[in-house]
């Protein structure tokens, strides 16, 4: 009985060591060295080739190597009877929260303006809003977005959350559903997007969304690249409707070298590193779920395939 | 009976309005329009000319227009019998905490490396320490430094504090006195300095301090410019002993246009704006103290002139 892992990174051996320490009787295989497909009970994967998981006759669970599962659900031959499990990793949530807090603070505290002044050797105070006057909106308030909204509210920001269905959070103004999206956007000077990618959320950050925001606002996208229409973003920046953007995810990754986003003075680009799955904290969760499944129980954090997250 | 204000900013009229709302019977005067010196009971000042406060015969309290009082205590003719009161402003503490958290997060999350990669259009993950492995040291753990240390510990950093006398903080490793300074520096990859400037702390961040830190560390100075020896900092950066610095305060302010700090690729310069005193939140504190003094009581947050803070 074996676990097959597929990662886009070169950290497979690190994962192998962590699994060996946690569950020595589990055979660990690293894609594409699959060995006999009939031995594979568990798959821990990032972007498996379409149709591949359907070739594993004894598969008992599919673990996503990340919080999002869109890279699995877009496989038309995904085995319907096998549970798909997301990673709900405290370190991953912490890193996403750090990234969001860091960039919200930089924009709130006029970081771009002060960086430009430093280049020109200008010593001048930039008018500063109080924290409680700064309206931040978090799109997606599940495990990760909820942590971000709580952290920002704890720092004193005026925070709202938007989600498909109402999800009340203490100290956070709640908006839900498509009909409340314009009101949510209209009050949010800085929008942090951590939505899952589903047919309902694809392209949600488009020209219409940017136009609904206060003029001179900022967008931080750390969900998935296909949530945001990059050409609409560039137009909104050119028109001054948006003052800037922070992007960790892109429609095509790696971001192509000829993308205008790389050199745009108002855009911060990071290479999908807002959070990096860490074997030391993630293996324990996969191992716990393997033990549950072996004991005939349902795994934790299995997704609802109809909702898409 | 009047309050005389001296500010380096152009926001005097804003302060006048706030005082008028809070204490309509207080006459507000803005330096250098002092009027009759014998009417002045209260001074709210930033860097008054040496000897000037000694010319006010009926002065009952000197309020510093900021958390630091070094700009008052360096006046050799400062009236000894008049209490000197610091501003302990919740907004000021919040802003200093925001600034420190923002820059610690940027350094922790390899912001400089990712910014450099963006300029070169490079898509590459930079190895990332876990938050709990990142050792941050806060120099000065009073009102502001204590808030910073607590916020960083709350985010999961491994935080130590250093102060002249022991000041225990929950979740923060405590170091005190000159004899424990080397051990404190040796464990601190990122040093945040918010010390008051006194004869004991002047030049405390010098070549010896930088050499005591782990190689490749960072210094964030938001206390006073004279706490840090700028030429020693440039030498430590050139030698690679330090990897970077974030400076909000300087030995000479405004920072002269020919300072090499402006264009140093590893140095972030901001124009003494880590915190900006806000009349809306600060006036209430001054007014409360005026009421106490008029009632014959001692003002809150009066400093100990011998300690210098």
């Amino acid at each position: 009985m074996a676990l097959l892992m597929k990662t886009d990174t070169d950290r497979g051996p690190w994962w192998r060591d962590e699994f060996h320490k946690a569950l020595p009787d589990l055979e660990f295989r690293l894609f594409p060295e699959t060995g006999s497909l009939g031995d594979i009970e568990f798959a821990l994967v990032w972007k498996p080739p379409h149709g591949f998981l359907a070739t594993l006759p004894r598969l008992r669970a599919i673990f996503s190597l990340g919080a999002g599962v869109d890279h699995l659900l877009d496989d038309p031959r995904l085995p319907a009877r096998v549970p798909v499990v997301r990673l709900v990793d405290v370190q991953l949530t912490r890193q996403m929260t750090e990234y969001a807090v860091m960039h919200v603070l930089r924009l709130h505290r006029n970081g771009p303006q002060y960086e430009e002044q430093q280049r020109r050797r200008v010593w001048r105070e930039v008018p500063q809003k109080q924290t409680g006057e700064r309206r931040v909106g978090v799109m997606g308030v599940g495990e990760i977005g909820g942590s971000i909204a709580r952290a920002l509210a704890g720092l004193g920001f005026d925070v709202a959350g938007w989600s498909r269905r109402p999800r009340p959070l203490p100290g956070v103004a709640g908006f839900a559903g498509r009909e409340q999206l314009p009101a949510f956007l209209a009050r949010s000077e800085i929008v942090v997007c951590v939505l899952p990618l589903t047919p309902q959320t694809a392209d949600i950050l488009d020209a219409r969304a940017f136009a609904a925001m206060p003029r001179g606002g900022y967008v931080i996208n750390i969900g998935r690249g296909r949530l945001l229409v990059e050409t609409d973003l560039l137009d909104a920046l050119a028109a001054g409707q948006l003052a800037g953007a922070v992007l960790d995810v892109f429609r095509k990754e790696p971001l192509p070298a000829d993308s205008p986003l790389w050199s745009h003075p108002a855009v911060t680009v990071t290479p999908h590193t807002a959070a990096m799955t860490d074997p030391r904290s993630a293996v324990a969760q996969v191992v716990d779920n393997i033990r549950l499944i072996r004991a005939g129980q349902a795994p934790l954090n299995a997704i609802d395939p109809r909702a898409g997250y």
Side-chain angles (χ1 to χ4, degrees), chain A:
Chain A
M1 292 303 116
L3 176 142
L4 175 69
M5 174 162 193
K6 176 180 179 294
T7 168
D8 280 357
T9 74
D10 53 6
R11 296 193 293 176
W14 190 14
W15 285 88
R16 177 191 302 272
D17 291 347
E18 294 296 323
F19 270 109
H20 186 72
K21 277 187 270 181
L23 205 63
D25 73 336
L26 182 77
E27 188 189 341
F28 180 94
R29 299 178 186 175
L30 195 57
F31 189 92
E33 307 296 328
T34 61
S36 167
L37 299 184
D39 303 337
I40 297 170
E41 271 188 313
F42 305 104
L44 172 60
V45 288
W46 178 255
K47 292 187 184 171
H50 282 186
F52 173 73
L53 293 170
T55 68
L56 305 176
R58 304 181 70 179
L59 193 62
R60 299 176 74 177
I62 300 165
F63 298 103
S64 170
L65 198 47
V69 291
D70 49 286
H71 64 103
L72 298 168
L73 298 187
D74 64 2
D75 179 353
R77 280 164 287 165
L78 188 74
R81 59 172 180 81
V82 181
V84 172
V85 181
R86 332 163 36 212
L87 210 57
V88 178
D89 174 13
V90 61
Q91 291 291 349
L92 200 140
T93 301
R94 182 196 290 272
Q95 287 184 48
M96 295 289 273
T97 304
E98 283 179 1
Y99 188 98
V101 165
M102 162 172 70
H103 285 288
V104 167
L105 281 175
R106 172 173 171 269
L107 298 174
H108 166 59
R109 294 301 301 266
N110 300 303
Q113 292 84 337
Y114 282 119
E115 291 157 22
E116 171 59 18
Q117 288 192 174
Q118 180 176 352
R119 279 190 284 275
R120 295 186 291 117
R121 299 178 179 238
V122 170
W123 180 277
R124 185 187 302 145
E125 183 178 324
V126 177
Q128 177 63 56
K129 273 200 179 189
Q130 296 280 8
T131 318
E133 300 166 342
R134 184 72 73 182
R135 296 181 152 194
V136 186
V138 180
M139 297 181 75
V141 285
E143 188 71 25
I144 293 169
S147 164
I148 292 170
R150 278 191 301 272
L152 292 171
L155 284 168
F157 288 100
D158 183 354
V159 182
W162 181 84
S163 48
R164 197 169 61 110
R165 294 190 191 149
R167 296 224 196 193
L169 282 175
V172 175
F175 293 80
R178 277 280 172 170
E179 65 283 6
Q180 292 185 9
L181 185 57
F184 165 83
L185 292 169
R187 55 83 68 207
S188 298
E189 298 164 78
I190 303 174
V191 167
V192 180
C193 180
V194 287
L195 287 169
L197 179 63
T198 70
Q200 287 74 44
T201 61
D203 298 336
I204 195 167
L205 291 172
D206 62 358
R208 199 166 52 162
F210 303 143
M213 287 175 61
R215 189 168 173 85
Y218 292 91
V219 171
I220 300 174
N221 186 18
I222 50 180
R224 284 287 183 262
R226 282 179 50 213
L227 297 166
L228 183 146
V229 181
E230 291 169 3
T231 49
D232 287 3
L233 173 69
L234 289 165
D235 289 347
L237 290 170
Q241 172 58 21
L242 290 185
V246 177
L247 305 176
D248 186 55
V249 288
F250 303 88
R251 298 186 84 85
K252 188 163 177 0
E253 296 181 5
L255 183 63
D258 62 357
S259 167
L261 294 169
W262 280 115
S263 58
H264 197 296
V267 177
T268 299
V269 169
T270 54
H272 203 144
T273 48
M276 290 149 282
T277 305
D278 183 333
R280 286 171 294 180
S281 50
V283 162
Q285 187 176 153
V286 173
V287 166
D288 285 349
N289 267 330
I290 289 176
R291 291 205 173 103
L292 283 173
I293 292 167
R294 284 178 171 175
Q297 296 179 48
L300 300 176
N301 301 313
I303 64 132
D304 173 358
R306 286 158 308 177
Y309 61 91

